[in-house]
Amino acid sequence: MSRSAAIDAAEKYFDSGAFLADLARRVAIPTESQNPAREPELRAYLETEMAESLARIGATSRVFPNPKGSGGPFLIAELTEDPKRPTVLLYGHGDVIRGQESEWRAGLGPWTVRQEGDRIYGRGTADNKGQHTINLAAIETVLRTRGKLGFNLKVLIETGEETGSPGLKEFCGQNKALLAADVLISSDGPRLQPRRATIYLGTRGALNFILSVDPGKGAHHSGNWGGLLANPGIILAHAIASITDARGAIRIPEWRPTSLTPAVRAALADLEIDAGQEGPSIDADWGEPGLTPPERVFGWCSFEVLAYVTGNPERPVNAIPARALATCQLRYVVGIEPQDIIPALRRHLDRSGFTLVKVEPAREAVFHATRLDPESPWVKWTAASIERTTGTKPAILPNLGGSLPNEVFADVLGLPTVWIPHSYAACSQHAPNEHLLAPIVRDALRIMAGVYWDLGEK
């Protein structure tokens, strides 16, 4: 049997409706990790759906409790054919964001897969059940076509990624030997363009924090006290404005990376960001001046204000508010010291005269920045395999603009990390009407069948 036969079989898997059947079965399990009542569903996804699917290819699975005591369980599956052959680690997450049932368009729902034209709707279709369904199906296709994989496979499925992957770092640290591999090849996130395959080699880090001003004087009538009492909303607005200029370019020196190297710029040089017809258009005059759009999102840091409140926006009254609060975020790349992000902000605010502004982390989970060298042999090998299948060079991103727990695989397990995403930027993940695009799914099945076939070659 041949490589082309395996790719043909992957296409037939999609065309026959088998992909939709597998995906529908998985989406129907409401694995909302943000909902404590869904713990039985999280476990069932691993113990039944994943373990039974992996058993079909001869892999043995074990489900482990979260080492933190709280948080979703983990599954590790293993299929060893020859210890002398390469071992590949496949990661996926079985949990999803909340269903938001009442907000979906009429005729759609989070726990039912429905295809309309090119769109395949359902919660988790894009993030991440659809993506690991593609990879597992491609592995099974190669195994059935060749009679063996030709490499060794390990699979790690977690159920807490949507809550910051609690316990994942500790779990992988405790199970290094069980998860030992030569490379991580996995899928999550969007392609750079819907019609062009993408490889990314790491992720930007993400740190959320809260800025607040509370003088401790309470709220007071704006007629009697206006001009006499400092307004927390105004103070906080000016403090936030000091962090960037009017176009969002960062002013804090420690938040400005030095890692946008010639090699990274070369990797980004031929890339174009395209979210599809329904995606937003890029604001050309926003962000760091002198950088291209790909450099701004994949090679630089961005500061965002996620939420801002002072007083009562729904029922404003004529009073100087007692306090103001903003939830903010820094997306950062390799070269920024994560432990110094908040201290650097504190120093900047103090230098700028905003000593009254309090800074504190918004949550325990912090995603750290990672980046595999674009010149890595694994990157070149993967790109060559994809080009062999599609006839087109894939887009290669030094890192994704978003964040994943990639530091666990890169730093704790010490693996080269190669990600091949199967979604697109306008997929509505984390929102109502989440969907995959059928043409991308079919293309991705072909690509992954080719990658896994090539892994098993001499």
Side-chain angles (χ1 to χ4, degrees), residues 112-262:
T112 302
V113 166
R114 177 170 177 173
Q115 183 170 356
E116 295 182 357
D118 284 345
R119 295 189 172 194
I120 301 170
Y121 290 96
R123 177 62 82 223
T125 52
D127 188 18
N128 171 260
K129 292 176 179 179
Q131 303 217 31
H132 60 252
T133 295
I134 290 168
N135 292 352
L136 291 172
I139 288 170
E140 186 170 358
T141 295
V142 169
L143 179 63
R144 303 303 178 210
T145 303
R146 185 156 49 198
K148 62 179 181 179
L149 289 179
F151 61 92
N152 307 306
L153 175 68
K154 294 184 178 180
V155 179
L156 170 62
I157 306 290
E158 71 157 313
T159 55
E161 195 271 347
E162 300 295 3
T163 56
S165 297
L168 178 63
K169 182 176 182 179
E170 294 81 359
F171 178 75
C172 289
Q174 294 167 8
N175 292 279
K176 276 188 177 182
L178 194 56
L179 293 168
D182 294 290
V183 64
L184 173 97
I185 300 179
S186 291
S187 303
D188 203 348
R191 289 180 170 189
L192 185 64
Q193 299 168 297
R195 292 170 297 280
R196 186 181 182 186
T198 297
I199 299 172
Y200 65 88
L201 314 177
T203 60
R204 283 203 293 186
L207 177 63
N208 288 23
F209 51 91
I210 295 172
L211 301 179
S212 60
V213 176
D214 186 349
K217 297 180 179 180
H220 296 277
H221 193 281
S222 59
N224 297 334
W225 293 96
L228 301 178
L229 297 181
N231 188 304
I234 295 174
I235 294 172
L236 186 56
H238 281 274
I240 292 172
S242 76
I243 295 173
T244 74
D245 65 13
R247 60 172 287 158
I250 292 172
R251 286 172 165 164
I252 300 175
E254 297 89 339
W255 290 10
R256 297 177 59 81
T258 59
S259 54
L260 188 55
T261 62

Side-chain angles (χ1 to χ4, degrees), residues 235 238-239 242 346-357:
I235 294 172
H238 281 274
S242 76
R346 178 73 273 163
R347 295 191 294 270
H348 165 80
L349 292 173
D350 290 346
R351 287 194 305 266
S352 303
F354 297 110
T355 56
L356 194 60
V357 177

